[in-house]
Structure formats: C-alpha cells, structure tokens
Amino acid sequence: MKAKLTILCENSVGVPFGVIGEHGFACYLETEKGNYLFDTGQGYAIAQNAAALKKDLADIEAVMLSHGHYDHTGGLPAVLQLKGPVDVYGHPDIFVERMWSSEGIKRYVGIPYKRSYLESLGANFRLGTDLAEIGPGVYLTGQIPRDSTFEKGDQKMIAFGSGGESIQPDPILDDLSLIVDTDQGLIIVLGCAHAGMINIIEHTLKKMNKDRIHAIIGGTHLGFSSEEQFNATLDVIDRYRIERIGVSHCTGPARAATLFARMPDRFFFGNVGAVLEV
Ligand SMILES: [Fe+2]
Ligand SMILES: [Fe+2]
C-alpha cells in the first residue's frame, strides 16, 4: 500500500504560506483506500492549515485520537463541523479529567469538551483498548504495555478517577499510536508517546508480527526523557533499522537537534507541512 502523511498541526511551521503553529499535533493520512485524520491539535490551526495544505477534512473515513490531552483533541469540533458524522477512534480513558501542575501553576489539560457535546456535532466514538484495524492497512496500537523500566511517567501530570481521587503521575493509559502498513514497511505515527517510544515500537512489532519499522513520525516525548532513555531510544532506532524519523511537538528543539546531528540522512523535522510519502 502507498501512503502519504502530512503534518497539519505542530508547534512550528515548515512551509511559508498560510499555516500557523500551535503546541499540539495532527496528521493527515492519504491512502488508495481512503483518507484519515490522526489527532486534531488544540483547535486554532486545524481548519486553516488543512485548507492551506489542500487536505480536505470533509474527505476522511475516520478520526483517530492518540490520547485525551487538549493539544491533540481540542480541534475535534472544528473537524466535526467540516466533516459531519464520523467515527472517532481512541481509548476509553480519553475522557479522564487531568491536570498539569508545576511550580504552583495548575492547568486543566484533559479533553476540553464533553462527550455529549462532541456527539451532538457528529462524533461516533468507537473506544477500545486492543489493536484495532481502522481501515485497510491502517491500525491503532491499542493500549501499550509499559515494559521498559526507564520510560517513566511525568510527575507533573495528574489524573482524577471517577470518584475524584487524584492519581500522580497520570499513567495516560489512553496513549495510542497510528500504524500504517505500507509497501516500504510499517510507519508509526506517535501522538505524544507518553507510553514510551520503545514500548510503542516493541508492542507494534509484536502485534504486527514484523521485525523492522520503516519510519516514525510525531511527538516522541524525548524532550522530557533522561539521558538513559534517550540513548536507549537511539539504540532502538538502529536496531530496527528505522529509515526515516520525523520528530515533532514534545520532542523539543534540543533533542531534535541531537537526533539530526546523529542521523542526518534519516532525520527530518516533522513540523506543519512536512510530508512523508511511500
Ligand atoms: Fe500529551
Ligand atoms: Fe502533546
């Protein structure tokens, strides 16, 4: 299968005309069998950037959500207003209430809209925890087992249980990634990789019964990783012969620069307008 992935929302822009950056992520996937949207950004950029990049948000088979954070789900109303009724795939925990707390500042970082409101705009939520085939060659990973010991949660993230009890760090069990099975091999699209990039890669290879990954794009969360985790991730990129790596969002400029220096032939900046085509 051929596939074309275009980054619609990201912290910075890589094309000169008509697009804006915002902290967040969204990626448009085109295949011979249909188009898909993975994440929606915060909501300020998605409609404008899609129009500028000539990606039709009304022409999608489904929306997939990597997790419930506002910077991946906040654009849902804008998408639903353009698309109308559509299946929206994700993990049941996307609706968990969650906060970010650091140095006395607290911010709500969960999904900014009620499920009933999104349903009134046409969202047909299809939530699950297992690997799901969304369309031909298009999969969501399902919940990722947290096997690696050094990919730790973020202490600044707090979740609230159904009884209001707080859980710190928020395990963000809803963190899912998109898998595209192409002629060149698997492509993994990360939202924020809260589950840990190594965990995500290992789980994907096991579930898809493959031994290599062609490309990884999206938010790696390596901007928040220890040296140990970062170096182990570099080893994994080599071990699975990953040929293209286009990092975005929560990778941060320092880690992205290090990746670029280490693997200039394979690396690209996954900012708004970046395209991976196989
Ligand atoms: Fe996140
Ligand atoms: Fe994020």
Side-chain angles (χ1 to χ4, degrees):
M1 186 176 83
K2 294 189 183 357
K4 182 176 184 183
L5 298 110
T6 305
I7 295 182
L8 290 187
C9 296
E10 208 274 315
N11 303 28
S12 59
V13 302
V15 293
F17 299 113
V19 296
I20 58 170
E22 66 176 12
H23 176 89
F25 188 74
C27 181
Y28 194 86
L29 165 65
E30 294 165 84
T31 77
E32 298 116 317
K33 302 276 172 61
N35 306 326
Y36 302 84
L37 181 67
F38 179 68
D39 281 348
T40 66
Q42 281 194 45
Y44 303 109
I46 184 101
Q48 178 170 333
N49 289 359
L53 296 167
K54 302 204 170 4
K55 303 300 165 194
D56 186 359
L57 291 174
D59 182 20
I60 52 174
E61 307 297 319
V63 178
M64 296 168 273
L65 298 175
S66 67
H67 63 304
H69 277 154
Y70 72 103
D71 54 321
H72 300 254
T73 58
L76 260 179
V79 173
L80 294 167
Q81 276 152 13
L82 289 164
K83 169 63 187 168
V86 67
D87 288 340
V88 180
Y89 291 85
H91 184 289
D93 280 7
I94 57 170
F95 289 106
V96 163
E97 300 244 340
R98 38 191 37 142
M99 303 282 288
W100 180 85
S101 175
S102 178
E103 296 169 4
I105 300 169
K106 275 193 174 178
R107 295 287 301 270
Y108 179 79
V109 294
I111 190 165
Y113 302 100
K114 281 189 169 177
R115 178 171 182 160
S116 53
Y117 171 63
L118 296 167
E119 286 172 339
S120 78
L121 296 177
N124 175 34
F125 285 103
R126 302 189 62 169
L127 307 180
T129 57
D130 295 330
L131 178 94
E133 185 172 9
I134 312 302
V138 178
Y139 303 84
L140 269 183
T141 56
Q143 187 173 315
I144 306 291
R146 309 297 170 94
D147 292 332
S148 72
T149 51
F150 43 79
E151 292 183 307
K152 298 190 192 316
D154 186 339
Q155 283 295 331
K156 294 176 182 150
M157 301 282 190
I158 307 164
F160 297 93
S162 50
E165 72 282 10
S166 61
I167 305 152
Q168 189 172 4
D170 178 354
I172 317 179
L173 297 178
D174 42 323
D175 184 65
L176 311 178
S177 297
L178 163 64
I179 305 167
V180 191
D181 193 0
T182 77
D183 297 341
Q184 302 292 315
L186 298 180
I187 298 174
I188 299 178
V189 187
L190 307 166
C192 245
H194 291 292
M197 203 168 135
I198 297 172
N199 287 331
I200 294 166
I201 291 170
E202 300 280 5
H203 179 74
T204 298
L205 291 170
K206 191 168 146 198
K207 285 284 183 184
M208 300 298 291
N209 200 20
K210 297 274 166 75
D211 63 359
R212 59 172 279 273
I213 305 275
H214 173 64
I216 292 193
I217 62 172
T220 65
H221 224 66
L222 290 173
F224 303 88
S225 67
S226 64
E227 276 306 303
E228 181 192 24
Q229 179 180 341
F230 184 63
N231 289 327
T233 306
L234 292 177
D235 290 344
V236 164
I237 291 169
D238 281 334
R239 190 181 323 143
Y240 295 120
R241 310 190 298 282
I242 299 169
E243 291 163 51
R244 305 296 319 277
I245 175 147
V247 299
S248 302
H249 185 42
C250 45
T251 308
R255 293 295 202 202
T258 306
L259 282 165
F260 180 40
R262 296 264 190 106
M263 44 190 77
D265 300 337
R266 290 183 278 170
F267 178 92
F268 62 99
F269 287 98
N271 41 29
V272 175
V275 173
L276 176 68
E277 189 166 11
V278 295

